[in-house]
Amino acid sequence: MNVIETKKLTKYYGKSRGIIEVDINVEDGEIYGFIGPNGAGKSTTIRVLLSLIYATSGTATIFGKDVVKFGPEIKKEIGYLPGEVFYYDTMRVKDLLNYSASFYKKDCSKRIKELAGIMSLELDKRIDDLSYGNKKKVGIVLGLLHEPKLIILDEPTGGLDPLMQQTFFNLVREENKKGATVFLSSHILSEVQRLCDKVAIIKEGKIVKIEKMSDLAQSNYSKIKVESKAAIPEGYFDMAGVSGLKTENHSTTFMFKGDINSVTKKIAALDLVSLFVEEPDLEDIFLHYYQ
Amino acid sequence: MLNMYLHELKQYRRITMIWIVSLVTTAALYMALYPSFAPQLDAMKKILENYPKVLLDALGVGPNVFLSFAGFYSIIMAYMMLAMSIQAMNLGTGIVAKEEHSHTAEFLLAKPVNRTQVLTAKLLAALTILLITNAFFMAAMWAEINFLADILIAGKIFILMTLTLFIVQLFFLGLGFLVSVTAPKIRSVLSISLSTVFVFYVIGVFDSIIGSKAVRYITPFKFFDNQYIINNGSYEPAFLVVEAVFLAAAFTAAYYFYLKRDIRTT
């Protein structure tokens, strides 16, 4: 069964573009990545799914039910972590958590304690005394306290330190093992790579590619930047697997795919000032995978 | 829905207490002046007769206003009405708009509730807050009336006059709800509610000067003529109808728009 299914889902804000004909299918038990640069339409898609905003055309269903018609019913089983977390400033953390729990007809007190422990959250503090990272932690607990079947995460790691990110990812994986489906939007490729089974790439409101993570990982490009003392002769890097070559003065950048040894040998022959081998960022992905 | 209702009451507890204390204190101080006025009523009346009628009308001071305590009380009511209208408008505009303003709409509407429930919980909470404010206010005024010597006012007239505050508050609550769901973006709830209330107040002042009856149907500040209440022991039905029609329209429209529109992020 598809947990999330959208068909030609389109949203315009007046005349400005939100998303255009987005088709995604998230299957039960998947961790589904939704990746794209800022303003690509990730949050718009999520907000339509939560019926915070209404689609201009197309349909969206969750658990096989229309998101607008059955909104309240569907949301019993959804945990949502918004991209930017804002809560009632004057409330204490535990009061906010209890208020949130009061919307679900089950006892969440045990789970709240558990999650607060894992995220090392101070329950007696007032929301407006919390740092952004700590507010994010509150958001994470809010999203998970009712043990939802579908977890929707919008840019979840912004503001969290690396250690907390790790804790959080473990938490998400655990929920996933228990049977929850996860829909995660992000503009950071590595975080999607670490977590997701499948990924949809969105650009300027349109889905450009949906791929299994394993397929995406196989086509492992490296981004290489070489700076040498002397000018690199033209055509020096003319070889299989090199693309997007750019030379500026003594520095050269290109994308490389294939046997890494062939290129390191070439580089070793140069008199170097510096060398960077990086994972390509999203921008590079768009430039090189999908042109 | 009960949880949202209680949540709103808690959120507004402090500000409502501040409103009640300020309103009651102001009105009580005003009223405490009456015993010192009372012995000089005749002198007061003569002074007032020398003022231009236009000025007196604009100030809301009728010709016989100081002759009775009821007349004096009606002046207090006029000022309280202005203040309490601001309270009601602020409440009506803020209680819905604050969710988007402080970005908590995403929290609330991702919960298993529909928007009708959200708006209804907010409406009931707002009504409760206004009822509590008025109950405290009326009780405090009645206590002071019984405490001060030489004051004579019929219980019925007192209740009718004091209750006009609540009815006018309802008008602005409805207007506030309507504004909060239709205005494209509300940056400052206070400036919107202050300016709206003052516009209606100024319209009312002009009515006194022009003497036009039509204006009375536009501004709630003129729905109730205290002299009429004192003389007849009742409200003028026409204006109750105007109010009822307005409220029905305002809340219907508020629900309609709130259910239909997109929730804004910023």
Side-chain angles (χ1 to χ4, degrees):
Chain A
M1 188 193 80
N2 282 332
V3 172
I4 301 176
E5 190 173 331
T6 69
K7 282 194 191 119
K8 292 194 182 301
L9 195 64
T10 302
K11 173 68 185 174
Y12 277 92
Y13 301 99
K15 271 185 185 155
S16 70
R17 182 269 305 161
I19 47 172
I20 302 163
E21 303 199 344
V22 165
D23 291 306
I24 46 178
N25 293 308
V26 180
E27 284 165 36
D28 196 12
E30 258 180 343
I31 301 186
Y32 196 101
F34 194 43
I35 197 159
N38 294 328
K42 301 189 295 291
S43 295
T44 298
T45 310
I46 288 176
R47 290 159 62 76
V48 171
L49 291 176
L50 291 167
S51 61
L52 289 166
I53 56 178
Y54 299 123
T56 311
S57 64
T59 59
T61 59
I62 291 179
F63 307 126
K65 289 172 181 156
D66 184 83
V67 293
V68 177
K69 240 189 236 162
F70 297 96
E73 195 188 324
I74 293 167
K75 286 175 199 169
K76 280 181 199 163
E77 297 296 346
I78 296 181
Y80 170 51
L81 173 64
E84 289 184 46
V85 286
F86 292 99
Y87 303 110
Y88 307 100
D89 279 345
T90 55
M91 283 180 96
R92 280 179 203 289
V93 173
K94 62 176 174 199
D95 294 332
L96 180 70
L97 295 176
N98 287 332
Y99 178 46
S100 182
S102 70
F103 284 92
Y104 307 97
K105 289 180 180 63
K106 52 174 142 181
D107 182 25
C108 307
S109 53
K110 204 178 134 224
R111 188 67 181 142
I112 290 177
K113 262 191 207 140
E114 229 172 76
L115 288 168
I118 296 170
M119 302 306 295
S120 50
L121 197 63
E122 289 168 83
L123 291 174
D124 286 315
K125 276 205 171 171
R126 267 167 60 120
I127 298 291
D128 54 3
D129 290 333
L130 296 180
S131 67
Y132 188 75
N134 277 323
K135 274 186 201 166
K136 199 94 190 186
K137 290 193 212 166
V138 173
I140 291 167
V141 178
L142 285 173
L144 299 177
L145 58 81
H146 54 293
E147 298 171 89
K149 286 194 190 123
L150 170 63
I151 302 169
I152 298 180
L153 307 164
D154 194 359
E155 308 267 357
T157 53
L160 289 181
D161 60 60
L163 217 61
M164 233 351 125
Q165 284 187 19
Q166 192 53 50
T167 313
F168 168 64
F169 282 147
N170 289 340
L171 203 57
V172 172
R173 271 196 208 101
E174 230 171 82
E175 289 298 311
N176 178 246
K177 267 187 207 140
K178 281 194 253 167
T181 307
V182 180
F183 186 74
L184 172 121
S185 103
S186 177
H187 65 271
I188 305 161
L189 190 63
S190 61
E191 104 183 3
V192 173
Q193 266 171 343
R194 275 163 69 188
L195 213 59
C196 299
D197 311 318
K198 207 188 267 177
V199 62
I201 298 176
I202 186 167
K203 186 186 180 188
E204 287 165 10
K206 289 180 184 156
I207 300 285
V208 289
K209 186 105 177 169
I210 297 177
E211 231 176 329
K212 279 197 178 145
M213 208 65 239
S214 46
D215 296 345
L216 201 67
Q218 263 169 17
S219 50
N220 50 345
Y221 278 81
S222 309
K223 183 183 177 185
I224 297 176
K225 186 178 176 192
V226 180
E227 214 175 311
S228 58
K229 280 185 187 149
I232 299 168
E234 211 172 306
Y236 185 75
F237 285 112
D238 270 354
M239 57 190 288
V242 169
S243 60
L245 189 82
K246 251 185 271 169
T247 306
E248 227 173 274
N249 296 326
H250 291 181
S251 98
T252 299
T253 55
F254 57 89
M255 301 283 286
F256 180 76
K257 184 192 178 186
D259 182 9
I260 191 81
N261 292 305
S262 61
V263 78
T264 47
K265 269 178 203 148
K266 275 232 143 172
I267 293 170
L270 293 168
D271 192 4
L272 291 185
V273 177
S274 65
L275 166 68
F276 297 94
V277 182
E278 294 171 327
E279 172 190 43
D281 56 32
L282 255 189
E283 211 55 20
D284 303 318
I285 296 276
F286 288 135
L287 283 174
H288 296 278
Y289 282 48
Y290 304 109
Q291 247 175 7
Chain B
M1 211 171 84
L2 183 68
N3 59 345
M4 287 187 277
Y5 169 79
L6 293 175
H7 171 78
E8 293 300 344
L9 290 187
K10 244 182 241 164
Q11 293 258 303
Y12 277 93
R13 191 170 47 190
R14 235 177 92 87
I15 184 78
T16 306
M17 264 157 43
I18 293 172
W19 269 109
I20 292 173
V21 170
S22 340
L23 289 169
V24 167
T25 317
T26 316
L29 286 175
Y30 236 122
M31 200 142 82
L33 295 176
Y34 184 72
S36 53
F37 269 121
Q40 308 155 30
L41 279 180
D42 279 341
M44 279 296 286
K45 197 185 171 197
K46 279 196 185 99
I47 296 171
L48 283 177
E49 272 164 2
N50 290 328
Y51 277 66
K53 188 177 176 308
V54 180
L55 179 67
L56 293 178
D57 281 348
L59 292 172
V61 184
N64 296 318
V65 87
F66 282 115
L67 282 185
S68 64
F69 175 74
F72 184 80
Y73 189 63
S74 72
I75 297 180
I76 302 179
M77 286 303 100
Y79 288 111
M80 290 302 116
M81 194 175 276
L82 183 58
M84 286 167 85
S85 298
I86 293 168
Q87 182 201 14
M89 182 80 191
N90 225 7
L91 183 63
T93 316
I95 203 164
V96 182
K98 75 183 163 82
E99 302 286 354
E100 284 171 67
H101 196 243
S102 53
H103 312 275
T104 47
E106 290 208 325
F107 167 85
L108 193 56
L109 291 169
K111 299 278 176 282
V113 289
N114 63 41
R115 294 193 190 177
T116 308
Q117 290 168 322
V118 171
L119 207 59
T120 306
K122 285 177 179 294
L123 176 57
L124 290 178
L127 285 174
T128 309
I129 289 165
L130 294 186
L131 276 171
I132 290 172
T133 307
N134 280 277
F136 270 101
F137 185 81
M138 197 181 274
M141 290 303 104
W142 188 242
E144 188 172 3
I145 284 171
N146 285 308
F147 176 75
L148 292 174
D150 301 327
I151 290 183
L152 285 172
I153 184 168
K156 187 183 175 190
I157 300 295
F158 167 78
I159 290 172
L160 281 175
M161 282 170 75
T162 315
L163 215 52
T164 60
L165 299 175
F166 180 63
I167 301 171
V168 173
Q169 278 195 313
L170 284 184
F171 179 94
F172 283 104
L173 184 71
L175 192 62
F177 261 72
L178 189 58
V179 168
S180 70
V181 300
T182 50
K185 193 173 184 177
I186 294 173
R187 278 181 214 283
S188 161
V189 169
L190 188 65
S191 58
I192 285 192
S193 44
L194 276 181
S195 51
T196 313
V197 170
F198 277 119
V199 165
F200 277 101
Y201 188 74
V202 168
I203 293 173
V205 171
F206 274 115
D207 150 67
S208 309
I209 294 169
I210 305 164
S212 155
K213 280 270 182 283
V215 178
R216 285 198 63 195
Y217 290 92
I218 299 170
T219 169
F221 287 111
K222 292 290 163 184
F223 282 179
F224 301 101
D225 178 356
N226 281 313
Q227 203 56 53
Y228 182 93
I229 296 173
I230 294 167
N231 294 342
N232 299 280
S234 70
Y235 299 139
E236 292 159 274
F239 295 99
L240 290 181
V241 171
V242 172
E243 164 111 8
V245 168
F246 170 79
L247 287 180
F251 284 116
T252 310
Y255 272 89
Y256 176 76
F257 287 117
Y258 193 62
L259 261 61
K260 249 185 53 166
R261 75 178 173 80
D262 287 349
I263 300 297
R264 296 167 286 240
T265 11
T266 43

XYZ file of all heavy atoms in Angstrom, chain A residues 36-90:
416
model
N 16.028 18.815 -2.559
C 16.027 19.905 -3.532
C 16.507 21.164 -2.856
O 16.496 21.246 -1.635
N 16.925 22.142 -3.665
C 17.425 23.384 -3.066
C 16.292 24.178 -2.399
O 15.120 23.850 -2.567
C 17.990 24.154 -4.264
C 17.339 23.562 -5.464
C 16.987 22.150 -5.125
N 16.657 25.177 -1.648
C 15.636 26.013 -1.008
C 14.715 26.620 -2.062
O 15.162 27.038 -3.120
C 16.300 27.142 -0.220
C 17.086 26.599 0.952
O 16.719 25.594 1.532
N 18.187 27.254 1.279
N 13.434 26.638 -1.746
C 12.474 27.249 -2.668
C 12.065 26.334 -3.801
O 11.357 26.740 -4.712
N 12.479 25.058 -3.752
C 12.133 24.155 -4.838
C 10.697 23.653 -4.734
O 10.106 23.215 -5.714
C 13.080 22.961 -4.848
N 10.136 23.712 -3.530
C 8.766 23.261 -3.351
C 8.617 22.127 -2.351
O 7.550 21.517 -2.259
N 9.657 21.863 -1.602
C 9.584 20.772 -0.624
C 8.538 21.057 0.454
O 7.650 20.246 0.696
C 10.955 20.565 0.061
C 12.083 20.239 -0.886
C 13.336 19.828 -0.137
C 13.937 20.945 0.708
N 14.534 22.039 -0.073
N 8.661 22.231 1.055
C 7.719 22.571 2.123
C 6.302 22.728 1.593
O 5.346 22.348 2.251
C 8.153 23.861 2.820
O 9.375 23.657 3.475
N 6.189 23.270 0.387
C 4.865 23.408 -0.217
C 4.191 22.042 -0.322
O 3.033 21.883 0.047
C 4.980 24.046 -1.618
O 5.538 25.346 -1.472
C 3.617 24.144 -2.284
N 4.943 21.056 -0.805
C 4.386 19.710 -0.929
C 3.904 19.204 0.432
O 2.784 18.694 0.565
C 5.450 18.745 -1.486
O 6.022 19.322 -2.646
C 4.840 17.398 -1.820
N 4.754 19.363 1.437
C 4.411 18.870 2.775
C 3.187 19.595 3.322
O 2.292 18.987 3.902
C 5.623 19.032 3.717
C 6.693 18.016 3.334
C 5.211 18.849 5.169
C 7.967 18.133 4.119
N 3.138 20.906 3.074
C 2.011 21.678 3.605
C 0.696 21.322 2.909
O -0.370 21.393 3.511
C 2.307 23.170 3.523
C 3.404 23.570 4.525
C 4.081 24.867 4.173
N 3.152 25.979 4.191
C 2.703 26.549 5.299
N 3.115 26.112 6.462
N 1.854 27.540 5.256
N 0.788 20.916 1.644
C -0.421 20.431 0.967
C -0.841 19.089 1.581
O -2.021 18.843 1.838
C -0.205 20.289 -0.555
C -1.381 19.570 -1.198
C -0.017 21.656 -1.199
N 0.153 18.231 1.831
C -0.150 16.921 2.425
C -0.837 17.069 3.778
O -1.680 16.258 4.156
C 1.135 16.098 2.591
C 1.799 15.601 1.305
C 3.101 14.892 1.627
C 0.861 14.672 0.543
N -0.477 18.130 4.498
C -1.070 18.337 5.823
C -2.321 19.211 5.753
O -2.862 19.604 6.774
C -0.041 18.998 6.746
C 1.142 18.111 7.144
C 2.240 18.927 7.773
C 0.689 17.015 8.100
N -2.744 19.531 4.547
C -3.866 20.444 4.270
C -3.779 21.753 5.050
O -4.784 22.318 5.457
C -5.236 19.760 4.438
O -5.423 19.293 5.756
N -2.558 22.223 5.236
C -2.386 23.584 5.741
C -2.690 24.549 4.605
O -3.189 25.646 4.803
C -0.944 23.798 6.207
C -0.526 23.075 7.483
C 0.977 23.086 7.636
C -1.168 23.725 8.686
N -2.344 24.114 3.396
C -2.703 24.853 2.196
C -3.398 23.876 1.254
O -3.256 22.666 1.403
C -1.464 25.478 1.510
C -0.428 24.408 1.196
C -0.838 26.533 2.401
C 0.794 24.946 0.479
N -4.170 24.432 0.326
C -4.942 23.575 -0.559
C -4.343 23.567 -1.960
O -3.918 24.601 -2.467
C -6.392 24.061 -0.605
C -7.067 24.008 0.752
C -7.627 25.152 1.314
C -7.123 22.827 1.480
C -8.251 25.106 2.571
C -7.732 22.770 2.719
C -8.293 23.911 3.262
O -8.893 23.858 4.492
N -4.316 22.378 -2.564
C -3.738 22.236 -3.895
C -4.568 22.999 -4.919
O -5.785 23.126 -4.792
C -3.674 20.760 -4.268
N -3.877 23.516 -5.940
C -4.575 24.183 -7.038
C -5.226 23.116 -7.924
O -6.357 23.272 -8.371
C -3.582 25.022 -7.869
O -2.808 25.818 -6.969
C -4.314 25.921 -8.846
N -4.485 22.039 -8.176
C -5.063 20.904 -8.904
C -4.296 19.642 -8.549
O -3.252 19.706 -7.901
C -5.028 21.164 -10.414
O -3.685 21.256 -10.827
N -4.819 18.513 -8.993
C -4.184 17.247 -8.650
C -4.721 16.720 -7.326
O -5.513 17.385 -6.666
N -4.282 15.510 -6.984
C -4.783 14.911 -5.750
C -3.630 14.423 -4.883
O -2.549 14.139 -5.372
C -5.681 13.692 -6.036
O -4.909 12.732 -6.770
C -6.915 14.065 -6.811
N -3.919 14.351 -3.611
C -2.955 13.786 -2.671
C -3.708 12.917 -1.689
O -4.745 13.320 -1.166
C -2.225 14.902 -1.933
N -3.204 11.706 -1.466
C -3.821 10.839 -0.464
C -2.749 10.350 0.502
O -1.589 10.198 0.144
C -4.502 9.605 -1.098
O -3.500 8.871 -1.813
C -5.619 9.979 -2.030
N -3.191 10.149 1.739
C -2.334 9.530 2.751
C -3.125 8.368 3.343
O -4.312 8.526 3.646
C -1.935 10.540 3.834
C -0.981 11.588 3.255
C -1.277 9.838 5.027
C -0.533 12.654 4.222
N -2.492 7.240 3.494
C -3.166 5.998 3.906
C -4.373 5.731 2.991
O -5.399 5.212 3.427
C -3.659 6.067 5.351
C -2.603 6.463 6.346
C -2.810 7.542 7.212
C -1.402 5.770 6.421
C -1.832 7.912 8.122
C -0.419 6.138 7.338
C -0.636 7.207 8.192
N -4.262 6.151 1.738
C -5.335 5.926 0.780
C -6.520 6.874 0.918
O -7.531 6.712 0.234
N -6.404 7.880 1.781
C -7.528 8.803 1.982
C -7.141 10.220 1.566
O -6.014 10.657 1.802
C -7.946 8.804 3.452
C -8.632 7.526 3.857
C -8.840 7.494 5.349
C -9.517 6.180 5.744
N -9.246 5.833 7.124
N -8.104 10.912 0.987
C -7.870 12.275 0.526
C -7.438 13.176 1.688
O -8.056 13.162 2.755
C -9.147 12.830 -0.106
C -8.917 14.206 -0.683
O -8.426 14.285 -1.824
O -9.197 15.197 0.012
N -6.378 13.950 1.455
C -5.790 14.702 2.565
C -6.685 15.841 3.065
O -6.572 16.256 4.215
C -4.394 15.270 2.224
C -3.391 14.157 2.042
C -4.450 16.177 1.013
N -7.540 16.349 2.194
C -8.409 17.440 2.642
C -9.655 16.882 3.325
O -9.985 17.249 4.448
C -8.805 18.349 1.461
C -9.771 19.437 1.930
C -7.568 18.977 0.846
N -10.299 15.946 2.649
C -11.568 15.412 3.172
C -11.380 14.694 4.494
O -12.186 14.799 5.407
C -12.155 14.446 2.140
C -13.539 14.870 1.647
C -14.141 13.760 0.800
C -14.513 14.299 -0.570
N -14.692 13.207 -1.541
N -10.305 13.922 4.590
C -10.101 13.127 5.792
C -8.952 13.651 6.645
O -8.348 12.898 7.402
C -9.862 11.659 5.408
C -11.031 11.027 4.717
C -11.088 10.971 3.337
C -12.089 10.515 5.457
C -12.178 10.401 2.689
C -13.176 9.948 4.827
C -13.226 9.893 3.441
N -8.667 14.952 6.479
C -7.544 15.560 7.183
C -7.405 15.168 8.644
O -6.402 14.573 9.044
N -8.420 15.494 9.473
C -8.287 15.210 10.902
C -8.046 13.733 11.202
O -7.260 13.391 12.074
C -9.632 15.659 11.471
C -10.155 16.639 10.494
C -9.662 16.188 9.155
N -8.704 12.864 10.451
C -8.563 11.430 10.685
C -7.144 10.957 10.365
O -6.520 10.231 11.139
C -9.578 10.714 9.785
C -9.816 9.283 10.152
C -10.681 8.594 9.115
O -11.595 9.245 8.559
O -10.423 7.415 8.847
N -6.641 11.419 9.214
C -5.292 11.041 8.787
C -4.253 11.516 9.793
O -3.302 10.818 10.124
C -4.990 11.673 7.411
C -5.875 11.070 6.330
C -3.532 11.502 7.057
C -5.846 11.848 5.037
N -4.471 12.733 10.291
C -3.451 13.372 11.128
C -3.281 12.691 12.492
O -2.301 12.938 13.181
C -3.774 14.855 11.310
C -3.486 15.655 10.045
C -3.925 17.087 10.193
C -4.086 17.747 8.843
N -4.753 19.045 8.969
N -4.235 11.844 12.856
C -4.058 11.065 14.091
C -2.801 10.237 14.016
O -2.174 9.946 15.018
C -5.248 10.115 14.271
C -6.480 10.762 14.828
C -7.582 9.718 14.980
C -8.922 10.403 15.081
N -10.024 9.467 14.835
N -2.447 9.836 12.792
C -1.321 8.918 12.618
C -0.125 9.582 11.965
O 0.752 8.913 11.437
C -1.763 7.703 11.789
C -2.838 6.859 12.449
C -2.346 6.206 13.740
O -1.134 6.187 13.966
O -3.207 5.736 14.511
N -0.123 10.927 11.961
C 1.018 11.631 11.374
C 1.777 12.368 12.464
O 1.181 13.019 13.315
C 0.553 12.654 10.308
C -0.113 11.949 9.128
C 1.751 13.472 9.808
C -0.568 12.892 8.047
N 3.082 12.265 12.423
C 3.928 13.106 13.253
C 4.657 14.064 12.338
O 5.244 13.637 11.345
N 4.614 15.340 12.656
C 5.166 16.339 11.746
C 6.182 17.211 12.469
O 5.903 17.751 13.535
C 4.024 17.188 11.186
C 4.448 18.419 10.423
C 5.390 18.349 9.405
C 3.879 19.660 10.704
C 5.767 19.477 8.700
C 4.246 20.795 9.994
C 5.197 20.695 9.000
O 5.565 21.818 8.306
N 7.341 17.328 11.875
C 8.335 18.268 12.381
C 8.530 19.364 11.344
O 9.065 19.118 10.272
C 9.671 17.541 12.624
C 10.848 18.445 12.989
C 10.620 19.148 14.312
C 12.145 17.664 13.038
N 8.054 20.579 11.635
C 8.168 21.657 10.648
C 9.618 22.096 10.466
O 10.466 21.859 11.333
C 7.342 22.797 11.246
C 6.922 22.376 12.597
C 7.425 20.996 12.871
N 9.887 22.721 9.331
C 11.236 23.181 9.044
C 11.700 24.237 10.026
O 12.824 24.222 10.486
N 10.789 25.166 10.314
C 11.135 26.158 11.313
C 10.216 25.955 12.495
O 9.008 25.940 12.350
C 10.971 27.558 10.742
C 12.038 27.855 9.713
C 11.938 29.275 9.206
O 11.796 30.180 10.030
O 11.977 29.434 7.985
N 10.821 25.781 13.652
C 10.001 25.446 14.811
C 9.671 26.706 15.614
O 10.540 27.468 15.977
C 10.695 24.418 15.720
C 10.646 23.059 15.070
C 12.135 24.800 15.979
N 8.378 26.910 15.814
C 7.901 28.009 16.649
C 6.792 27.476 17.529
O 5.887 26.818 17.028
C 7.330 29.141 15.795
C 8.342 29.859 14.980
C 8.512 29.555 13.648
C 9.128 30.847 15.541
C 9.442 30.218 12.875
C 10.061 31.518 14.780
C 10.222 31.202 13.443
N 6.869 27.756 18.802
C 5.798 27.302 19.685
C 5.365 28.420 20.606
O 5.957 29.497 20.596
C 6.256 26.067 20.472
C 6.688 24.958 19.564
C 8.007 24.576 19.459
C 5.755 24.349 18.729
C 8.397 23.598 18.576
C 6.132 23.368 17.840
C 7.460 22.995 17.764
O 7.827 22.034 16.875
N 4.341 28.155 21.404
C 3.819 29.165 22.311
C 4.889 29.538 23.327
O 5.224 28.751 24.206
C 2.557 28.643 22.992
C 1.543 28.160 21.993
C 1.393 26.810 21.705
C 0.740 29.072 21.301
C 0.477 26.371 20.765
C -0.173 28.643 20.357
C -0.303 27.293 20.095
O -1.194 26.865 19.154
N 5.421 30.757 23.160
C 6.616 31.174 23.891
C 6.512 31.089 25.402
O 7.472 30.786 26.078
C 6.969 32.615 23.502
C 7.722 32.657 22.198
O 8.191 31.588 21.776
O 7.831 33.743 21.615
N 5.332 31.374 25.927
C 5.244 31.493 27.375
C 4.990 30.153 28.059
O 4.944 30.070 29.276
C 4.111 32.460 27.762
O 2.906 31.996 27.153
C 4.417 33.859 27.288
